[in-house]
Amino acid sequence: MATIKDVAKKADLSVSTVSRYLNQHPYISDDKKKRIKAAMEELNYTPSSIATQLRSKKGTMIGILVSRITNPFFSYLVDAIEKQAKEHGYNVLIMQTYDDSDAEMKMLEMLKQSVINGLIMCSVEGDAKMIEDYQTFGPIVFCNEQLPEAAVPQVITNQEQATYEAIQFLIKKNYQKIAYCTGGTLTTKGHGKTRTQGFERAMLEQKLAIKKEWIFQQVHTIEDGHQVAKQLIELPESNRPDAIFTNSDEVAMGILEYTLQQKLQVPEDIAIMGFDNQPFTSLLAVPLTTINQPVAALGAESTKLLISLIEETTYQVDQSQLELTLVQRKSV
């Protein structure tokens, strides 16, 4: 079965030009229209029926992949992407993966079928080479996901360095027994690997112990935070950490809530640090020390870059807008 890539090759045009033709974009020359139409007829190419329905109703479409929209960080990120997309005349199609590579593949297939014209991946679970290959069908941008091995445009912050500096901050405040929570699995290619590298570098430089019972993987929610705190409190008091770094403000909030329920003091019994600086963090019973992510800039810069690739223009990401900063409050 012929694909949009085959049509573009036959017509000697870009995939994005053919996509704009299928979307009834007004700014395509008559010559290009004739070439595309002739190529489609010669190849017996029929656009996806789903794609045709979406085009007729919604126009040019950008796909957004997130792990879970219930995480406020992703909610604000999607909001920033959609606002920027609408400014440029694009609509968005959002899919949650729940960290499942099969769900990710469904969205990539939508790119192949021209249901979407480009894809912003705010969550990456699949093989880097496989994702690279799908760029044949349309542009892909990684947003806040760093895969150095992937030849895919990436709009990122320096999470490894920010985590390193956060752990150094804890150490300078005389915390020596530091626990760690990640949303990933601690593999070299897993989710959250750059933050894990920052944690390990800071701990190893100071020759501090990284204990198995103080490391928690695939934690994402407030309830996950409750379970982390429960496990730590059940340890013998002599073997409890005196601080914990989390990869999520939600997890940190769960740890804080459960710890206070058990009549322990924060930060006297355990210091807690989050990541993201979500709006609620300053309103907690003990305001949360956390790392501020420039979520609006991440969304805007990713969208501008993707649209430039779709429309075959040039855009230079403004890296100065993508700085991470430590926000000091009372939980440390």
Side-chain angles (χ1 to χ4, degrees):
M1 182 180 295
T3 67
I4 190 172
K5 177 189 172 186
D6 299 323
V7 174
K9 185 176 181 181
K10 177 67 69 174
D12 195 24
L13 295 168
S14 68
V15 171
S16 60
T17 299
V18 177
S19 178
R20 287 199 293 272
Y21 169 83
L22 294 172
N23 285 324
Q24 300 179 343
H25 196 286
Y27 303 114
I28 299 178
S29 69
D30 289 339
D31 174 64
K32 289 180 179 178
K33 288 179 181 178
K34 289 178 183 177
R35 287 157 61 185
I36 294 169
K37 186 177 180 182
M40 290 174 63
E41 289 176 353
E42 184 176 344
L43 295 170
N44 195 27
Y45 172 76
T46 302
S48 161
S49 60
I50 296 174
T52 302
Q53 292 171 26
L54 283 171
R55 289 189 195 104
S56 65
K57 293 179 181 179
K58 297 187 177 181
T60 306
M61 189 80 64
I62 288 173
I64 307 173
L65 267 178
V66 298
S67 59
R68 47 184 56 77
I69 201 71
T70 51
N71 183 324
F73 171 77
F74 287 118
S75 299
Y76 287 109
L77 185 58
V78 168
D79 181 66
I81 292 170
E82 185 163 15
K83 284 178 179 175
Q84 191 64 229
K86 287 186 179 298
E87 283 187 20
H88 289 80
Y90 288 79
N91 292 291
V92 301
L93 182 65
I94 304 161
M95 179 178 287
Q96 302 179 79
T97 67
Y98 301 101
D99 305 314
D100 180 1
S101 59
D102 289 339
E104 181 177 283
M105 180 60 69
K106 289 178 183 177
M107 184 66 99
L108 289 167
E109 282 296 309
M110 289 184 185
L111 183 66
K112 181 177 180 179
Q113 294 296 328
S114 301
V115 175
I116 54 176
N117 299 96
L119 175 59
I120 297 176
M121 300 182 69
C122 308
S123 173
V124 178
E125 301 298 331
D127 176 72
K129 183 63 172 67
M130 179 270 295
I131 295 171
E132 284 177 26
D133 292 343
Y134 270 87
Q135 292 178 110
T136 302
F137 308 105
I140 299 171
V141 169
F142 290 167
C143 174
N144 208 40
E145 285 285 349
Q146 185 173 2
L147 277 79
E149 70 275 15
V152 176
Q154 302 177 31
V155 178
I156 56 174
T157 56
N158 193 339
Q159 298 185 32
E160 193 272 346
Q161 183 65 21
T163 304
Y164 170 83
E165 291 175 1
I167 301 301
Q168 289 281 37
F169 171 78
L170 290 174
I171 294 169
K172 287 176 183 176
K173 291 182 73 72
N174 296 318
Y175 296 106
Q176 300 288 304
K177 301 188 295 182
I178 303 173
Y180 178 76
C181 292
T182 176
T185 59
L186 301 180
T187 61
T188 56
K189 295 184 179 181
H191 176 70
K193 66 177 182 180
T194 53
R195 299 182 197 180
T196 299
Q197 289 166 352
F199 167 74
E200 291 176 341
R201 178 159 68 96
M203 296 291 282
L204 292 172
E205 278 187 9
Q206 299 299 320
K207 297 181 173 57
L208 296 178
I210 300 176
K211 292 194 173 185
K212 182 179 179 181
E213 60 267 35
W214 296 350
I215 304 297
F216 300 88
Q217 304 177 49
Q218 293 183 302
V219 290
H220 302 279
T221 66
I222 293 172
E223 179 55 37
D224 289 339
H226 291 167
Q227 293 304 313
V228 168
K230 182 175 185 294
Q231 290 180 51
L232 291 177
I233 291 170
E234 288 176 350
L235 292 172
E237 191 169 345
S238 61
N239 193 34
R240 291 178 192 167
D242 53 17
I244 183 165
F245 176 90
T246 75
N247 273 217
S248 160
D249 286 339
E250 282 190 282
V251 174
M253 183 168 73
I255 294 170
L256 174 65
E257 184 177 60
Y258 189 91
T259 301
L260 295 179
Q261 287 173 355
Q262 301 306 306
K263 309 303 181 185
L264 297 177
Q265 300 297 309
V266 176
E268 290 81 4
D269 293 311
I270 185 169
I272 303 169
M273 185 180 290
F275 204 111
D276 290 337
N277 193 30
Q278 294 176 12
F280 64 78
T281 52
S282 64
L283 305 174
L284 299 174
V286 180
L288 187 67
T289 294
T290 185
I291 295 172
N292 180 65
Q293 291 218 72
V295 60
L298 279 165
E301 293 299 307
S302 298
T303 309
K304 289 175 184 177
L305 178 58
L306 183 74
I307 290 172
S308 75
L309 295 170
I310 293 172
E311 299 183 351
E312 299 180 312
T313 59
T314 301
Y315 182 73
Q316 183 67 43
V317 172
D318 186 355
Q319 202 64 37
S320 69
Q321 300 296 313
L322 302 176
E323 297 295 326
L324 294 167
T325 53
L326 182 67
V327 180
Q328 299 181 40
R329 298 195 182 101
K330 296 183 178 180
S331 67
V332 171

